[in-house]
């Protein structure tokens, strides 16, 4: 692998800005890597070669002329195909949006554009982000670069693989129920989901609006902190986006002081964690991680969150209810796929959806419509909202006793294509979406068959800075070598 591809995101920014490395050389190397490896892993749906090279040359000219560098000057990024870039296609990996062209930029895209980042290509995903394996994409299967017989995870599998396989220094995904953090941990990269309301969702194809957040993928924690710093902040077009102080998280990432911080940290482990069937290698790796944190001074305590047992059901009911409302805009009339076989208006609605949406999407619309129906609303949907509040209260209580909640990222390691993951596989990640809390997965080692394993830290709301700090400290003591790349 070309050495230039191994330079970590933060260093790459510095080297491009100082003129030590040319953005054009960086982008050329990444384009070549994508062209060489994409047929093996299927991470990208689309590559913007010409435009990316032009932008890179433009950044280099700017630097040569002594102009001030922007935050991500000349750095290539992969963007999940459910985030709008004005004038470009956005398929959400669905046949329904096959010919859709975005009329405006998502807020995060506006921010990345003003930071002079380069959108090198669109990454594959599960259709409308519904899934945990990237197998429901209408276009392409994405394989795990550590072993292409295994799934990448999902729904943001393309972005996870792109970073893991060294096809981009970092990438964006969306996380509604673990869709950034789960594929990140399956592929051995860092996956971060911000506190709900920290990063604007405007211009992102909605899945479940009360859970959705844009998240980041990078090889190391510092990369995620850098990327997140560009995207945070109030946006009047997303009503839940909070006015949070604009800070550069990277300034808080310092290996020595983050490691020292462990001496004053209380880490809570939910006792419910042990009720689940977990791959042996995951539990062994997790126990090792706990011991390392304890050895460096962290106080490890047990916490009790009885409502954990409701998490899979809660997620399913509320997520599907929101899906059925959000996907209702895909009616075959306003935009997207329109059936040519309809005889009347109702037929047009039905056939446009029937012909263009995949099985997983249809299943969720049906279930969501069911739980919102007059007979079931109180029994299912409203009840789920009450239990969600109960869960939030129990977690709020837990944070009176500890600073972070710590768990394995998933119950299982990645599986082979065709095998299914347990329904609860991502339970520890989904808790963060149900409660609006920030979560980050950090690679923590490999199984005997060389598949990556990860751990998950979850912080209290808007404690994202501290989350990056503990994640950085853990990265330094992790068994995973961030300088190792899969051979492709
Ligand atoms: N696996 C979850 C689901 O299928 C995650 C979805 C997501 O976060 N986009 O709902």
């Amino acid at each position: 692998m070309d050495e230039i591809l191994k330079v970590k995101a933060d260093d790459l920014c510095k080297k491009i800005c100082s003129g030590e490395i040319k953005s054009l050389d960086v982008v050329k190397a990444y384009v070549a890597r994508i062209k060489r490896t994409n047929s093996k892993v299927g991470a990208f749906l689309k590559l913007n070669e010409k435009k990316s090279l032009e932008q890179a040359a433009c950044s280099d000219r700017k630097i040569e002329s002594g102009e001030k560098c922007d935050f991500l000057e000349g750095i290539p990024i992969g963007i999940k195909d459910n985030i709008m870039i004005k004038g470009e296609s956005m398929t959400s990996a669905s046949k329904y949006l096959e010919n859709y062209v975005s009329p405006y930029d998502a807020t995060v895209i506006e921010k990345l554009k003003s930071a002079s980042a380069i959108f090198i290509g669109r990454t594959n995903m599960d259709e409308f982000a519904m899934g945990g394996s990237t197998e429901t994409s209408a276009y392409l299967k994405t394989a795990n670069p550590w072993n292409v017989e295994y799934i990448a995870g999902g729904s943001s599998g393309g972005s996870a693989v792109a970073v893991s396989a060294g096809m981009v220094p970092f990438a964006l995904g969306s996380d509604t129920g673990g869709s950034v953090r789960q594929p990140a941990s399956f592929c051995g990269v860092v996956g971060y989901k911000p506190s709900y309301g920290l990063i604007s969702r405007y211009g992102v194809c909605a899945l479940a609006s009360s859970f959705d957040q844009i998240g980041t993928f990078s090889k190391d924690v510092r990369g995620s902190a850098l990327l997140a710093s560009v995207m945070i902040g109030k946006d009047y077009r997303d009503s839940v986006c909070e006015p949070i102080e604009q800070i550069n998280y990277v300034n808080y990432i310092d290996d020595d002081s983050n490691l020292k911080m462990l001496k004053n940290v209380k880490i809570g482990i939910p006792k419910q964690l042990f009720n689940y069937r977990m791959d042996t290698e995951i539990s062994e790796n997790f126990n090792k991680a706990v011991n390392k944190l304890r050895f460096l001074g962290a106080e490890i305590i047990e916490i009790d969150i009885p409502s954990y047992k409701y998490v899979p059901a809660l997620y399913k009911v509320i997520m599907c209810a929101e899906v059925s409302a959000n996907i209702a805009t895909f009616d075959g009339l306003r935009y997207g796929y329109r059936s040519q076989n309809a005889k009347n208006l109702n037929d047009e609605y039905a056939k446009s959806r029937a012909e263009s949406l995949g099985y997983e999407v249809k299943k969720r619309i049906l279930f969501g419509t069911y739980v919102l129906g007059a007979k079931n609303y109180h029994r299912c949907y409203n009840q789920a909202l009450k239990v969600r509040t109960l869960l939030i209260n129990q977690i709020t209580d837990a944070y009176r006793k500890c600073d972070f909640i710590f768990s394995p990222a998933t119950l299982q390691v990645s599986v082979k294509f065709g095998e299914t993951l347990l329904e609860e596989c991502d339970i520890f990640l989904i808790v963060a979406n149900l409660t609006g809390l920030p979560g980050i997965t950090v690679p923590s080692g490999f199984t005997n068959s060389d598949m990556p394993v990860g751990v998950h830290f979850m912080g209290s709301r808007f404690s994202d800075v501290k989350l990056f700090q503990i994640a950085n400290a853990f990265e330094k003591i992790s068994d995973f070598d961030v300088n190792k790349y899969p051979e492709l």
Side-chain angles (χ1 to χ4, degrees), residues 186-374:
F186 281 1
C187 294
V189 295
V190 174
Y192 160 67
K193 178 199 90 78
S195 297
Y196 188 75
L198 189 67
I199 292 181
S200 169
R201 298 162 305 139
Y202 178 75
V204 183
C205 188
L207 171 55
S209 313
S210 75
F211 302 146
D212 295 347
Q213 276 293 287
I214 292 188
T216 62
F217 292 91
S218 56
K219 274 297 274 183
D220 59 358
V221 173
R222 190 176 276 273
S224 280
L226 178 74
L227 189 50
S229 305
V230 180
M231 300 192 294
I232 58 173
K234 175 82 186 146
D235 178 13
Y236 71 93
R237 295 167 298 192
D238 176 355
S239 57
V240 301
C241 203
E242 300 279 342
I244 291 295
E245 191 195 355
Q246 199 78 38
I247 57 168
N248 183 353
Y249 294 131
V250 180
N251 294 341
Y252 297 82
I253 307 271
D254 173 73
D255 297 352
D256 286 342
S257 46
N258 294 163
L259 279 167
K260 274 194 201 122
M261 167 186 137
L262 289 177
K263 290 198 174 68
N264 300 310
V265 151
K266 274 194 193 164
I267 294 177
I269 300 184
K271 71 175 192 203
Q272 284 71 19
L273 204 119
F274 306 99
N275 298 343
Y276 296 97
R277 208 180 68 207
M278 218 181 267
D279 282 355
T280 326
E281 289 184 279
I282 298 239
S283 57
E284 282 170 7
N285 177 278
F286 180 66
N287 289 339
K288 230 168 138 186
V290 171
N291 286 337
K292 283 185 182 182
L293 289 166
R294 191 184 279 125
F295 181 75
L296 286 170
E299 188 181 338
I300 312 283
I301 61 163
E302 187 182 86
I303 51 171
D304 187 16
I305 304 170
S307 294
Y308 253 66
K309 59 175 176 286
Y310 303 123
V311 166
L314 279 185
Y315 176 68
K316 204 170 196 170
V317 170
I318 303 171
M319 177 270 294
C320 286
E322 295 187 17
V323 161
S324 84
N326 282 330
I327 304 282
T329 55
F330 300 151
D331 56 8
L333 293 185
R334 283 173 258 210
Y335 53 85
Y337 183 90
R338 181 179 292 186
S339 172
Q340 300 304 313
N341 312 313
K343 297 194 185 62
N344 54 43
L345 184 63
N346 273 343
D347 208 29
E348 187 148 302
Y349 289 137
K351 289 210 167 102
S352 298
R353 290 157 79 88
E355 288 166 18
S356 67
L357 301 177
Y359 173 75
E360 185 62 34
V361 179
K362 287 176 184 158
K363 198 174 77 183
R364 294 190 194 205
I365 295 172
L366 283 176
F367 185 68
T369 311
Y370 174 83
V371 299
L372 288 175

Side-chain angles (χ1 to χ4, degrees), residues 129-132 155 174-179 207 315 319 364 426:
M130 298 182 199
S155 66
S174 62
D175 193 313
T176 305
S179 270
L207 171 55
Y315 176 68
M319 177 270 294
R364 294 190 194 205
D426 307 335

Side-chain angles (χ1 to χ4, degrees), residues 49 71 87 112 203 280 288 316 338 341 354 403 406 452 477 480:
E49 180 175 358
F71 209 73
L112 288 168
T280 326
K288 230 168 138 186
K316 204 170 196 170
R338 181 179 292 186
N341 312 313
D403 304 298
F406 189 49
I477 54 172
F480 190 94

